[in-house]
Amino acid sequence: MLSHYISWLLPVLFLTGCAQPANKYSPLVANQQIKQLSALVAGSHYLRQQCKIENIPDEDRLLNTALASAQRRGWDTQAPAYALLAEQSRARYDELIAEDTAESRPCSRLNLLLIDFLHAARSSKTA
């Protein structure tokens, strides 16, 4: 159920938070990068829509923040897979919604897991 999707989100967020610039570690393949970034965007969008946290930026800013994060890590954001970031983010969001129940809504956990990403998105000058 929803805990299933949280279980895939936790490792992805952990890996994303621990990812280092490309000069220290070999880069992830673009598809793995998109999975990580789309989890950040989908989880943030879920917090905004389902958990009613109003100070979370819109989807465009979340996507831009995810791309900026990838660029800071030295990831090749010009790779063809990056064109699918918005689509993959929506698909992950739809998966979260499909398993959503009021009793098992993971708002607090997601908010804690995404705190650094959301801070970056809120601080972003680009829309």
Side-chain angles (χ1 to χ4, degrees):
M1 294 188 193
L2 192 55
S3 62
H4 172 266
Y5 292 103
I6 293 301
S7 66
W8 63 255
L9 187 60
L10 289 173
V12 169
L13 293 174
F14 178 75
L15 289 173
T16 302
C18 295
Q20 298 296 318
N23 62 354
K24 288 192 175 193
Y25 298 100
S26 60
L28 298 172
V29 296
N31 289 336
Q32 291 172 318
Q33 294 168 1
I34 295 304
K35 285 182 182 181
Q36 290 181 15
L37 296 172
S38 66
L40 292 171
V41 174
S44 299
H45 190 66
Y46 181 91
L47 285 171
R48 180 182 174 156
Q49 297 301 114
Q50 301 308 118
C51 303
K52 307 298 184 207
I53 300 176
E54 296 177 7
N55 66 345
I56 294 176
D58 63 19
E59 189 174 0
D60 286 340
R61 182 170 284 184
L62 294 172
L63 289 166
N64 287 337
T65 301
L67 288 172
S69 177
Q71 289 171 340
R72 280 192 305 277
R73 287 180 174 85
W75 295 352
D76 179 13
T77 58
Q78 300 304 311
Y82 276 81
L84 302 174
L85 179 58
E87 180 182 324
Q88 291 294 319
S89 297
R90 282 189 289 280
R92 284 183 175 259
Y93 175 76
D94 291 342
E95 290 173 1
L96 285 170
I97 295 301
E99 295 295 323
D100 190 15
T101 64
E103 311 80 61
S104 65
R105 210 165 262 163
C107 298
S108 295
R109 283 180 73 189
L110 277 176
N111 202 20
L112 286 173
L113 290 169
L114 295 168
I115 197 163
D116 292 334
F117 178 74
L118 292 173
H119 176 72
R122 289 177 184 123
S123 301
S124 173
K125 300 288 188 240
T126 59

